[in-house]
Amino acid sequence: MQSAPSIQKLLDEFERLPGVGPKSAQRMVYYVLNTDRASAMRLAEAISEVKDTVRFCERCFNYAEADLCEICASPKRDRSVICVVSEPRDIPPIERTAVFDGVYHVLGGELAPMEGIGPDELRIAELMKRLASSDVSEVVLATNPNIEGETTAAYLARLIKPLDVKVTRPASGLPVGGDLEFADEVTLGRAFEGRVSL
């Protein structure tokens, strides 16, 4: 797209988004150019607002607009069961299953020694602190079913088992090498209902 500098700048920014190639970026730029000013400003304001208001929950490290996320703040959640996930984006698919009613802990990634991500780069110490200071009966290790996720789950299971806390993993049915965010609700729901002890 041969274009004015301002258009090229927007195109470059859209192309930086994950999963957005040149053609998708062009479609988004054309949308912004062809929509009315109010719609374009709503998009700009929504981006600005999310950057100004969203932070990490002080307890579980999910996205939140207050000190605690909505899940941690809810009195209806079962605090005796903690589901450990890699990233905040892994929580919505689990929530859509309507099977899990516990709380979460977001690690902020998975162990990947080749990329320099060890236990100190993840929120493992914060998880262990939560387990030591509360009556947790079960920890569900819902890291991604890939090499990094399996390695992270095995590492955490070794740390948690001596605390006399039940450690489980979602049952089979999730594709090995896949990501939780792409799993359908039925498959993910069955995996949670049939979770297995480690």
Side-chain angles (χ1 to χ4, degrees), residues 60 62 71 85 87-96 104 106:
C60 76
N62 186 12
I71 294 169
V85 296
E87 300 288 350
R89 68 175 174 247
D90 297 328
I91 294 174
I94 297 170
E95 285 296 290
R96 284 194 297 269
Y104 294 91
V106 180

Side-chain angles (χ1 to χ4, degrees), residues 34-113:
N34 292 322
T35 193
D36 60 277
R37 181 169 177 76
S39 296
M41 293 314 296
R42 277 195 308 274
L43 174 62
E45 287 166 12
I47 292 170
S48 180
E49 181 180 346
V50 81
K51 292 306 291 179
D52 289 343
T53 61
V54 175
R55 55 186 175 230
F56 289 117
C57 172
E58 290 179 356
R59 186 176 296 154
C60 76
F61 304 99
N62 186 12
Y63 293 128
E65 290 188 355
D67 292 340
L68 296 178
C69 70
E70 291 181 6
I71 294 169
C72 285
S74 171
K76 297 178 181 176
R77 302 304 289 230
D78 180 359
R79 285 168 175 60
S80 70
V81 183
I82 296 177
C83 178
V84 177
V85 296
S86 302
E87 300 288 350
R89 68 175 174 247
D90 297 328
I91 294 174
I94 297 170
E95 285 296 290
R96 284 194 297 269
T97 68
V99 170
F100 182 72
D101 67 348
V103 293
Y104 294 91
H105 184 86
V106 180
L107 294 172
E110 294 172 333
L111 293 173

Side-chain angles (χ1 to χ4, degrees), residues 140-168:
V140 183
L141 300 176
T143 52
N144 288 311
N146 56 26
I147 291 171
E148 294 83 3
E150 295 293 338
T151 301
T152 304
Y155 178 82
L156 290 173
R158 283 195 309 271
L159 285 180
I160 297 167
K161 278 183 181 177
L163 302 176
D164 199 30
V165 173
K166 182 179 179 183
V167 180
T168 61

Side-chain angles (χ1 to χ4, degrees), residues 112-159:
M114 300 297 282
E115 297 172 26
I117 303 172
D120 293 340
E121 283 69 47
L122 303 178
R123 296 187 189 102
I124 294 173
E126 291 87 342
L127 173 63
M128 300 309 290
K129 190 175 178 182
R130 281 180 77 181
L131 295 177
S133 66
S134 62
D135 295 325
V136 175
S137 61
E138 180 183 0
V139 173
V140 183
L141 300 176
T143 52
N144 288 311
N146 56 26
I147 291 171
E148 294 83 3
E150 295 293 338
T151 301
T152 304
Y155 178 82
L156 290 173
R158 283 195 309 271
L159 285 180

Side-chain angles (χ1 to χ4, degrees), residues 92-93 95-97 99 183-190:
E95 285 296 290
R96 284 194 297 269
T97 68
V99 170
D184 66 275
E185 289 85 15
V186 174
T187 301
L188 195 53
R190 286 182 182 157

Side-chain angles (χ1 to χ4, degrees), residues 15-31:
E15 282 189 43
R16 291 184 213 279
L17 297 173
V20 176
K23 288 192 183 297
S24 295
Q26 281 182 352
R27 282 193 295 274
M28 288 189 265
V29 168
Y30 287 139
Y31 167 79

